[in-house]
């Protein structure tokens, strides 16, 4: 039997615990108690979630787990020295340690993500990267495995992560049956960027929304302030002022983020050379795109593509 521990804290998000269903239905699928799932907190006893619902937990203590998963919260979790010490030592007595959603901040603060590839919710990915620069952040991924450390994107992505664990433990056929029972895709396609760039901006007026839609469909154009202002039917000065007031970003930064999103998706979904990706996403040349990737993700496009290919090979070998 493999012991699976979910670590929660005051204000944890209930949806993170949906990942436990993958282990539960794995037991049902193989008709055996493969996984023993438990819930833990620093103090033990009832712990209130962000929704106000409480759940009973056991106190954290050094013990052997096969898998330890740290839940996330609505924002960045508030940590304590005891929680960080527990998480920091967890790899010594756990086969794998994981974080769901913003639980990655706990792993990062404990030093477990130093020098490792990781992901978290797209809304907070760059904050994590800025706060912990040793982390190799890949904000477009649904989940990432780097050695014994696993991280997932949003809360529902924790289920994808747990399904991948089941697949690694019990094989692709069992994981596929578990996904069917949960009415989920066995392997979800696409990355977080399908939810992020335009949603993150959230413009309040139709004119700024029109300008953003225009930009997204004309990435190969220069997309100067004058060009975007004309699409929004505003003067350049009024457009720049209104755009920043509504989105919190400059037009140039927003355009760069849209191009980064397009480039990442193209690298994920095609085998186009880097030069083609740079041209089609509006960066004009690979060096300009490389600098933008380094600013945003801390790694060049070539490294991200290599990681994508290695994950594809790993998934293929699991199916073999």
């Amino acid at each position: 039997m493999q012991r699976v521990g979910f670590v929660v804290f005051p204000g944890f998000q209930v949806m993170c615990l949906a990942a436990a269903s993958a282990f539960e239905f794995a037991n049902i699928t193989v008709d055996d108690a493969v996984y023993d799932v438990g819930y833990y907190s620093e103090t033990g006893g009832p712990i209130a979630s962000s929704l106000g619902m409480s759940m009973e937990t056991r106190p954290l203590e050094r013990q052997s787990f096969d898998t330890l998963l740290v839940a996330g919260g609505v924002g960045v979790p508030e940590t304590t020295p005891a929680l960080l010490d527990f998480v920091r030592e967890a790899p010594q007595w756990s086969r794998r340690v994981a974080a769901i959603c913003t639980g990655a901040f706990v792993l990062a603060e404990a030093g477990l993500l130093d020098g490792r590839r990781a992901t978290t919710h797209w809304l907070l990915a760059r904050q994590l990267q800025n706060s912990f620069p040793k982390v190799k952040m890949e904000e477009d991924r649904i989940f990432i495995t780097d050695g014994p450390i696993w991280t997932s994107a949003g809360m529902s992505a924790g289920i994808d992560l747990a399904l991948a664990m089941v697949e690694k433990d019990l094989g692709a056929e069992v994981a596929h049956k578990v996904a069917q029972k949960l009415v989920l895709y066995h392997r979800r396609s696409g990355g977080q960027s399908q939810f992020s760039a335009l949603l993150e901006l959230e413009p309040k007026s139709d004119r700024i929304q029109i300008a953003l839609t225009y930009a997204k469909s004309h990435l190969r154009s220069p997309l100067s302030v004058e060009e975007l202002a004309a699409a929004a039917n505003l003067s350049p000065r009024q457009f720049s002022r209104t755009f920043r007031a509504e989105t919190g970003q400059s037009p140039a930064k927003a355009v760069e983020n849209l191009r980064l999103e397009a480039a990442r998706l193209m690298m994920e979904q095609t085998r186009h050379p880097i030069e083609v990706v740079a041209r089609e996403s509006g960066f004009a040349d690979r060096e300009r795109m490389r600098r933008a990737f380094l600013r945003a993700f801390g790694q060049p496009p070539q490294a991200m593509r290599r990681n994508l290919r290695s994950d594809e090979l790993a998934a293929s070998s699991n199916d073999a």
Side-chain angles (χ1 to χ4, degrees):
M1 182 179 292
Q2 299 182 19
R3 295 185 64 194
V4 178
F6 281 80
V7 178
V8 300
F9 44 80
F12 76 93
Q13 222 293 326
V14 173
M15 192 172 177
C16 290
L17 302 184
S21 298
F23 302 113
E24 176 189 8
F25 277 86
N27 288 347
I28 293 171
T29 299
V30 299
D31 194 24
D32 190 13
V34 177
Y35 298 107
D36 175 24
V37 180
Y39 305 93
Y40 299 81
S41 68
E42 182 178 344
T43 60
I47 300 296
S49 70
S50 59
L51 189 63
M53 182 191 80
S54 294
M55 71 173 301
E56 195 66 30
T57 63
R58 307 171 195 171
L60 293 178
E61 55 185 36
R62 183 168 179 166
Q63 53 189 303
S64 177
F65 288 94
D66 179 78
T67 303
L68 193 72
L69 300 101
V70 179
V74 174
V76 177
E78 293 186 10
T79 59
T80 64
L83 175 61
L84 291 176
D85 286 345
F86 179 84
V87 171
R88 190 176 295 115
E89 295 176 2
Q92 300 176 25
W93 31 265
S94 300
R95 179 166 66 99
R96 55 195 176 197
V97 178
I100 298 173
C101 194
T102 59
F105 280 83
V106 181
L107 268 59
E109 192 173 351
L112 297 191
L113 300 185
D114 288 357
R116 294 188 182 275
R117 297 163 54 223
T119 193
T120 190
H121 196 285
W122 61 267
L123 269 173
L124 295 169
R126 293 182 190 179
Q127 180 178 339
L128 191 148
Q129 179 70 86
N130 292 335
S131 300
F132 305 98
K134 292 181 180 180
V135 179
K136 298 177 180 178
M137 174 55 59
E138 296 184 23
E139 65 179 83
D140 192 42
R141 309 305 301 279
I142 297 297
F143 69 88
I144 284 179
T145 307
D146 190 328
I149 308 298
W150 300 53
T151 50
S152 82
M155 297 160 192
S156 64
I159 308 176
D160 297 89
L161 179 147
L163 278 171
M165 289 180 170
V166 170
E167 178 172 348
K168 190 171 183 64
D169 296 340
L170 304 176
E173 183 178 355
V174 171
H176 182 69
K177 289 179 179 178
V178 171
Q180 284 183 317
K181 288 182 171 70
L182 294 173
V183 197
L184 295 170
Y185 289 110
H186 178 188
R187 296 196 186 101
R188 199 189 327 186
S189 62
Q192 293 196 77
S193 59
Q194 60 190 303
F195 311 112
S196 59
L198 286 177
L199 292 176
E200 184 178 4
L201 294 169
E202 294 183 337
K204 298 177 177 62
S205 68
D206 290 342
R207 288 187 175 187
I208 301 302
Q209 181 64 64
I210 288 169
L212 284 169
T213 302
Y214 173 87
K216 192 171 177 66
S217 58
H218 293 80
L219 290 177
R220 293 185 65 178
S221 177
L223 296 177
S224 64
V225 168
E226 290 75 15
E227 183 178 355
L228 294 173
N233 198 25
L234 294 169
S235 70
R237 183 176 179 181
Q238 185 181 10
F239 174 78
S240 293
R241 185 172 60 249
T242 304
F243 191 97
R244 185 178 288 277
E246 292 193 15
T247 68
Q249 295 184 17
S250 68
K253 185 63 177 176
V255 167
E256 181 174 282
N257 288 339
L258 290 173
R259 285 177 169 148
L260 284 166
E261 172 186 276
R264 285 186 303 175
L265 282 174
M266 202 175 303
M267 288 196 301
E268 182 176 323
Q269 298 172 1
T270 75
R271 295 186 179 274
H272 293 324
I274 296 295
E275 291 82 357
V276 173
V277 173
R279 184 177 68 247
E280 292 299 317
S281 56
F283 283 109
D285 62 72
R286 61 185 295 164
E287 178 57 27
R288 185 179 171 192
M289 185 171 78
R290 187 187 74 85
R291 291 196 299 268
F293 267 66
L294 288 172
R295 282 194 300 271
F297 313 126
Q299 60 179 321
Q302 295 89 336
M304 187 171 287
R305 170 160 276 178
R306 283 195 300 270
N307 292 333
L308 287 168
R309 296 290 177 256
S310 65
D311 285 352
E312 288 175 0
L313 290 172
S316 298
S317 65
N318 281 337
D319 281 342

